[in-house]
């Protein structure tokens, strides 16, 4: 599979698209007014300690206080890392293998309560594990990790781990022994996939770089007021270079001269051999248009996604979960109903996995496939979904299909989904997703006039409504007006007003002819 990165840079926004065989697979957006804080390290101040939730709120200088869970203070197993596109499995799997705890042995001896570890006003260093999502503040941890090209430094652990993607046992052993021999401080390290085959000198240089970075961060903590930013994660463009170009993609194209030079300078330090893989876009057409990406991005905002066969899926985002429904649509098949349904479901699987990854949907996901009678077909769909999700770097967990044709799955949520960045609640429906029907509005007007007419002394009633409602009241629903005029004994004069919302209307009484 041919992978490349396309970067569009403007004054206030940077967009990074990962393409797989020409199709956009992932999109990352960074805007000047909404900085990406995941991966940043802060000096924070504990605002509130909540014994009932075994958590605390920490002021790190953002609009919303950050959330710190007790296990993220005392060195529990919930060692989350990553602010962006790093392969989280390298770190999560390595740490889960070792059942990592903090270096303080007493902390692991028993279960601790949050009020024993933190107090209001206390100043602590925290690492942002998850960026703010909607109304929720950032999720932070006191486990500090600093990623490099070949290594991740674990400041609060002495564990040495090797990426599971390095499968050769001899190589794993060589790397572990090399890290152990080079380690001077009692820090933990994880050797990333890119470290396979690395020479000792390169590994030593990166270890020194990360150690110095951590020591500088500690010095800043001692001198800085709370809250303060101690270490800022790389920009979205440089993170794409570090985590995608160095690991997966074969080419990077960027349309900004300054961005191009910054990437080359970054590669000079970490991987000079990749400089030939970076290209400055020189076309007159906007870069995302040249790669036909704008249309694909627009489609990620639609609820309904059509399949090539004529079937379609519907993606509904709720507060608690995401529901995805599969339908045959225009597809009628060729042989029998079971085959038609099975083919639609299998086609939907690929699109669902693609949309989940591209839209960056996280949390609980419920997929309602079309009911299949044969267990063998159900297993085919289940296995196809698991296979399709292997491309996704975010951790997923899929449960077997239920008797009702439902598959429940979870996907690790790190950032705001694409719709949360590109969309906002509809000012018409206030985020409900529905408008009151025109007929219902007419009946609401009927009832309101009946209520208000008791106190009206005028000879006429003036009704101001949206033009589409005015047209309906003069046409199909005119019988309501005729009936009202008989009941209240007054003429009703309808005035269309383009300034009024579809559901909005105003009543006035006219005192004289």
């Amino acid at each position: 599979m041919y992978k490349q990165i396309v970067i569009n840079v403007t004054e206030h926004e940077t967009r990074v698209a990962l393409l797989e065989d020409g199709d956009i697979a992932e999109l990352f957006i960074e805007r000047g007014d909404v900085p990406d804080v995941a991966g940043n390290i802060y000096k924070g101040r504990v605002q509130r300690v909540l014994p009932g939730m075994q958590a605390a709120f920490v002021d790190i200088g953002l609009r919303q206080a950050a959330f710190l869970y007790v296990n993220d203070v005392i060195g529990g197993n919930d060692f989350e890392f990553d602010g962006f596109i790093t392969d989280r499995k390298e770190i999560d799997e390595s740490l889960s293998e070792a059942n990592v705890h903090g270096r303080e042995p007493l902390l692991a001896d028993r279960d601790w309560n949050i009020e024993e570890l933190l107090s209001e006003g206390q100043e602590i260093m925290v690492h942002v594990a998850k960026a703010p999502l909607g109304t929720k503040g950032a999720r932070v941890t006191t486990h500090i990790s600093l990623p490099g090209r070949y290594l991740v430094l674990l400041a609060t652990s002495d564990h040495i781990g090797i990426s599971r993607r390095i499968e050769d046992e001899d190589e794993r052993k060589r790397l572990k022994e090399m890290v152990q021999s080079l380690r001077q401080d009692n820090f933990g390290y994880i050797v990333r996939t890119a470290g396979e085959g690395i020479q000792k000198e390169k590994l030593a240089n990166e270890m020194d770089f990360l150690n110095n970075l951590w020591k500088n961060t500690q010095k800043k903590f001692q001198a800085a007021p709370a809250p303060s930013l101690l270490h800022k994660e790389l920009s979205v463009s440089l993170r794409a270079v570090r985590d995608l170009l160095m690991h997966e993609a074969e080419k990077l194209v960027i349309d900004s001269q300054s961005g191009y030079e910054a990437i080359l300078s970054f590669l000079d330090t970490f991987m000079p051999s990749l400089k030939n893989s970076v290209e400055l876009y020189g076309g007159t057409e906007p870069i995302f248009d040249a790669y036909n990406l704008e249309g694909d991005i627009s489609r990620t905002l639609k609820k309904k996604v059509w399949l090539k066969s004529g079937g379609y899926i519907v993606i509904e985002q709720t507060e608690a979960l995401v529901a995805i429904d599969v339908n045959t649509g225009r597809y009628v098949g060729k042989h029998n109903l079971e085959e038609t349904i099975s083919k639609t479901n299998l086609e939907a699987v690929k699109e669902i996995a693609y949309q989940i990854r591209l839209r960056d949907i996280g949390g609980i996901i419920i997929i309602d496939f079309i009911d299949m009678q044969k267990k063998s077909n159900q297993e085919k769909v289940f296995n196809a979904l698991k296979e399709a999700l292997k491309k996704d770097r975010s951790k997923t967990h899929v449960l077997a299909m239920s008797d009702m044709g439902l598959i429940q799955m979870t996907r690790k949520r790190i950032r705001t989904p694409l719709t949360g960045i590109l969309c906002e609640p509809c000012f018409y429906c206030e985020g409900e997703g529905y408008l009151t029907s025109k007929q219902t509005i007419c009946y609401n007007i009927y009832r309101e006039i009946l209520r208000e007419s008791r106190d009206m002394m005028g000879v006429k009633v003036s009704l101001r409504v949206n033009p589409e409602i005015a047209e309906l009241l003069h046409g199909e629903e005119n019988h309501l007006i005729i009936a009202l005029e008989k009941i209240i004994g007054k003429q009703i004069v309808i005035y269309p007003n383009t300034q009024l919302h579809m559901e909005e209307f105003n009543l006035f009484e006219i005192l004289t002819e």
Side-chain angles (χ1 to χ4, degrees):
M1 182 182 294
Y2 180 73
K3 296 184 181 183
Q4 65 181 126
I5 303 163
V6 178
I7 302 179
N8 168 228
V9 181
T10 60
E11 186 177 353
H12 301 293
E13 180 187 62
T14 300
R15 297 184 296 173
V16 176
L18 173 64
L19 274 57
E20 295 179 349
D21 290 336
D23 296 324
I24 183 170
E26 296 182 35
L27 178 67
F28 307 94
I29 299 175
E30 187 173 82
R31 290 175 173 168
D33 58 336
V34 187
D36 188 354
V37 301
N40 288 355
I41 300 173
Y42 291 89
K43 181 176 183 177
R45 178 179 288 109
V46 177
Q47 278 186 335
R48 292 178 63 197
V49 178
L50 307 171
M53 296 179 65
Q54 285 300 297
F57 286 114
V58 182
D59 178 15
I60 58 173
L62 304 180
R63 278 189 309 174
Q64 300 161 304
F67 184 80
L68 176 62
Y69 184 59
V70 64
N71 280 0
D72 292 323
V73 181
I74 66 174
N77 294 329
D78 192 11
F79 193 122
E80 296 191 50
F81 166 79
D82 178 354
F84 181 65
I85 18 184
T86 312
D87 190 344
R88 287 182 282 279
K89 291 180 180 178
E90 288 186 346
I91 296 158
D92 290 341
E93 291 172 352
S94 180
L95 290 171
S96 64
E97 277 184 329
N99 192 25
V100 177
H101 293 280
R103 286 206 303 271
E104 290 290 336
L106 292 176
L107 293 181
D109 287 347
R110 66 179 179 89
D111 291 334
W112 285 73
N113 294 319
I114 191 74
E115 61 269 28
E116 297 177 274
L117 300 166
L118 297 175
S119 58
E120 292 184 9
Q122 182 179 346
E123 295 180 350
I124 57 174
M125 186 190 299
V126 292
H127 190 159
V128 179
K130 290 184 181 180
L133 295 172
T135 58
K136 296 179 181 178
R139 170 83 177 268
V140 296
T141 174
T142 58
H143 299 293
I144 310 299
S145 52
L146 295 170
R149 166 73 176 109
Y150 307 109
L151 293 171
V152 177
L153 181 146
L154 308 176
T156 56
S157 168
D158 59 4
H159 169 64
I160 296 176
I162 310 296
S163 169
R164 283 191 182 180
R165 293 192 178 185
I166 301 176
E167 297 178 352
D168 184 85
E169 287 301 325
D170 290 337
E171 176 64 6
R172 293 175 65 87
K173 184 179 179 182
R174 183 187 77 89
L175 290 169
K176 190 164 188 174
E177 289 174 352
M178 192 187 303
V179 173
Q180 287 173 332
S181 66
L182 291 171
R183 180 168 65 173
Q184 295 178 352
D185 297 299
N186 196 26
F187 299 137
Y189 297 93
I190 292 174
V191 181
R192 305 181 70 181
T193 308
E196 186 170 13
I198 192 173
Q199 299 304 309
K200 192 170 185 176
E201 184 182 356
K202 282 190 176 180
L203 203 64
N205 289 338
E206 178 151 299
M207 192 177 287
D208 288 341
F209 170 77
L210 292 174
N211 290 350
N212 289 332
L213 183 58
W214 169 235
K215 287 174 183 176
N216 288 335
T217 304
Q218 289 179 302
K219 287 179 183 176
K220 288 181 182 178
F221 177 81
Q222 298 299 326
S228 291
L229 174 64
L230 303 178
H231 170 73
K232 183 173 176 57
E233 179 57 302
L234 297 173
S235 68
V236 69
S237 299
L238 295 183
R239 292 200 301 270
V241 174
R242 181 190 69 193
D243 302 325
L244 292 177
L245 184 63
M246 290 182 173
H247 289 269
E248 301 181 39
E250 299 172 50
K251 183 181 178 182
L252 184 148
V253 185
I254 185 169
D255 61 358
S256 162
Q257 179 68 44
S258 60
Y260 173 73
E261 291 171 359
I263 289 173
L264 292 183
S265 176
F266 182 80
L267 288 173
D268 266 334
T269 304
F270 292 99
M271 187 58 66
S273 61
L274 287 176
K275 291 175 69 174
N276 291 333
S277 301
V278 181
E279 176 185 317
L280 177 64
Y281 177 72
T284 55
E285 188 179 15
I287 189 169
F288 269 36
D289 288 340
Y291 284 86
N292 298 315
L293 302 181
E294 296 292 6
D296 290 333
I297 295 171
S298 297
R299 279 191 288 276
T300 63
L301 308 181
K302 305 292 184 184
K303 284 186 177 181
K304 183 182 285 189
V305 180
W306 287 96
L307 306 175
K308 290 180 180 179
S309 65
Y312 63 89
I313 61 174
V314 177
I315 303 173
E316 289 276 1
Q317 180 89 42
T318 73
E319 189 169 341
L321 52 82
V322 175
I324 302 176
D325 186 37
V326 181
N327 297 278
T328 54
R330 297 189 293 260
Y331 182 53
V332 296
K334 294 181 179 179
H335 296 96
N336 57 61
L337 179 61
E338 180 73 10
E339 182 185 342
T340 301
I341 291 172
S342 180
K343 283 187 175 180
T344 304
N345 284 338
L346 287 170
E347 185 183 10
V349 158
K350 294 179 181 178
E351 189 63 36
I352 288 168
Y354 173 75
Q355 291 294 334
I356 286 173
R357 185 181 173 197
L358 179 56
R359 298 179 187 222
D360 205 5
I361 296 171
I364 301 170
I365 303 168
I366 307 295
I367 308 171
D368 184 10
F369 287 100
I370 309 167
D371 288 343
M372 294 170 287
Q373 299 299 317
K374 295 181 180 179
K375 282 286 184 184
S376 59
N377 287 335
Q378 293 178 9
E379 289 175 5
K380 276 183 187 177
V381 171
F382 172 71
N383 292 330
L385 179 62
K386 290 189 72 174
E387 185 64 30
L389 289 170
K390 285 183 178 179
K391 296 179 182 178
D392 197 340
R393 272 185 299 274
S394 285
K395 189 177 181 180
T396 58
H397 179 63
V398 186
L399 298 181
M401 184 178 290
S402 72
D403 293 338
M404 299 177 68
L406 299 176
I407 284 185
Q408 302 174 63
M409 64 170 286
T410 59
R411 182 175 184 267
K412 193 169 183 180
R413 181 159 47 194
I414 297 292
R415 299 174 304 277
T416 303
L418 204 56
T419 51
I421 299 172
L422 300 178
C423 303
E424 63 182 23
C426 170
F427 67 90
Y428 255 7
C429 68
E430 296 181 349
E432 295 294 334
Y434 296 97
L435 285 174
T436 307
S437 71
K438 297 182 183 69
Q439 188 178 48
T440 302
I441 294 169
C442 291
Y443 291 157
N444 289 344
I445 291 171
Y446 175 88
R447 285 187 288 271
E448 186 65 19
I449 291 176
L450 278 180
R451 278 193 290 268
E452 296 293 329
S453 62
R454 300 169 190 165
D455 301 321
M456 288 183 177
M457 305 301 295
V459 295
K460 293 181 182 180
V461 176
S462 169
L463 173 63
R464 290 175 171 81
V465 294
N466 182 278
E468 292 192 36
I469 302 300
E471 184 180 350
L472 197 60
L473 289 173
H474 281 302
E476 293 177 27
E477 300 298 335
N478 186 245
H479 62 92
L480 294 175
I481 301 300
I482 294 171
L484 274 171
E485 288 178 335
K486 286 181 181 179
I487 294 171
I488 68 176
K490 296 180 176 65
Q491 183 184 358
I492 299 172
V493 184
I494 302 171
Y495 296 97
N497 186 333
T498 56
Q499 301 301 312
L500 292 178
H501 182 290
M502 186 77 71
E503 297 176 355
E504 189 179 359
F505 58 88
N506 296 318
L507 293 176
F508 301 94
E509 56 180 324
I510 302 175
L511 298 176
T512 59
E513 291 287 346

